[in-house]
Amino acid sequence: MDLAFEIIISGLLIAAGVFGIVGSFGLLKLPDTMTRLHAPTKATTLGVGGVLIASMLHFWVLENTLSWHELLITMFLLLTAPITANLIAKAHLHSFRADEKTSPTGSDRDWATFEDAAVEQQPMITGSGKNQNT
Amino acid sequence: MIEYALTFAFGCFGIGLLCNLYRIFIAPGVVDRVLALDTMVINIIALLVLYGISTKTGMYFEAALLFAMTGFVSTVAYCKFILRGDIIE
């Protein structure tokens, strides 16, 4: 029984290591900042999640002490990763707007962070390439 | 068997830290440096938890939790500074 759990824990640790190195390598490999934002926020959160689940299983099965700290860390990371990614993307767009180097949005609307908050915006129909703004 | 998997994971996250360090020193813009610092904090959390597994003590989880909180707050503060030129207005 312990052997099965050891295999599960080892598999989780190896998967976490692979995800972690892919996330950090993507930071070097990908061509521009918006794509570079994608690699660490997803892959590294999966990596840390794998390590934390492996640690929880390890202490529960092999040491007989169940600890809830790992779940707390996992929940905190899953809550904060999208917020930091959103803020970094916003900072990137605003620092590039001054140099006229923002990438195209793919429709006639501008990026949402530059739009006038006082003007009521209609929801955009995606896929058709047009919007319902009159 | 767990020892070998632990060594592999230590190596992977260590190489990841080196990648982040390279990106902090050589980056096209300041936003990439903030992103690299955020990734570095996440990798260090993983390393702390791995060290806790290898020494079989639960003492390092509090350190990892503190790292997660300070990392989040520092990233938000950096982004606010880039966006507004000030952190608390």
Side-chain angles (χ1 to χ4, degrees), chain B residues 19-41:
Chain B
C19 292
N20 295 336
L21 201 63
Y22 175 84
R23 185 46 87 190
I24 285 177
F25 279 112
I26 299 166
V30 69
V31 183
D32 287 284
R33 294 197 166 96
V34 176
L35 183 59
L37 270 177
D38 187 46
T39 318
M40 206 171 201
V41 167

Side-chain angles (χ1 to χ4, degrees), chain A:
Chain A
M1 195 59 192
D2 272 3
L3 183 68
F5 274 107
E6 279 198 21
I7 291 173
I8 292 173
I9 293 168
S10 304
L12 274 172
L13 282 176
I14 288 172
V18 169
F19 271 119
I21 200 170
V22 163
S24 295
F25 184 66
L27 201 64
L28 298 185
K29 183 81 174 63
L30 291 172
D32 91 275
T33 307
M34 287 301 235
T35 49
R36 267 201 290 275
L37 200 57
H38 154 84
T41 46
K42 288 182 184 62
T44 319
T45 311
L46 267 178
V48 176
V51 168
L52 290 167
I53 293 169
S55 150
M56 203 172 174
L57 270 179
H58 180 268
F59 279 102
W60 182 28
V61 177
L62 303 178
E63 312 280 323
N64 285 319
T65 52
L66 181 58
S67 70
W68 296 99
H69 291 265
E70 289 94 337
L71 271 187
L72 213 62
I73 301 172
T74 316
M75 269 197 45
F76 191 78
L77 280 178
L78 287 184
L79 282 178
T80 56
I83 302 173
T84 54
N86 193 4
L87 266 174
I88 290 174
K90 208 172 162 184
H92 166 254
L93 281 176
H94 277 269
S95 66
F96 262 40
R97 171 49 61 107
D99 308 337
E100 304 272 328
K101 281 197 293 189
T102 39
S103 40
T105 56
S107 72
D108 1 317
R109 292 264 300 272
D110 203 355
W111 292 97
T113 179
F114 297 127
E115 279 178 344
D116 196 358
V119 180
E120 183 100 5
Q121 297 286 352
Q122 296 293 319
M124 195 167 68
I125 310 295
T126 53
S128 65
K130 291 180 179 175
N131 59 41
Q132 304 292 309
N133 245 351
T134 50

Side-chain angles (χ1 to χ4, degrees), chain B residues 66-89:
Chain B
L66 282 175
F67 247 92
M69 286 181 178
T70 47
F72 170 65
V73 171
S74 63
T75 310
V76 170
Y78 270 129
C79 287
K80 284 296 277 185
F81 186 74
I82 295 171
L83 273 174
R84 313 282 297 177
D86 203 352
I87 297 170
I88 301 169
E89 296 175 64

Side-chain angles (χ1 to χ4, degrees), chain B residues 46-81:
Chain B
L47 277 179
L48 274 175
V49 177
L50 284 175
Y51 191 66
I53 297 177
S54 72
T55 54
K56 297 187 172 56
T57 58
M59 202 175 69
Y60 292 94
F61 296 126
E62 278 86 3
L65 199 56
L66 282 175
F67 247 92
M69 286 181 178
T70 47
F72 170 65
V73 171
S74 63
T75 310
V76 170
Y78 270 129
C79 287
K80 284 296 277 185
F81 186 74

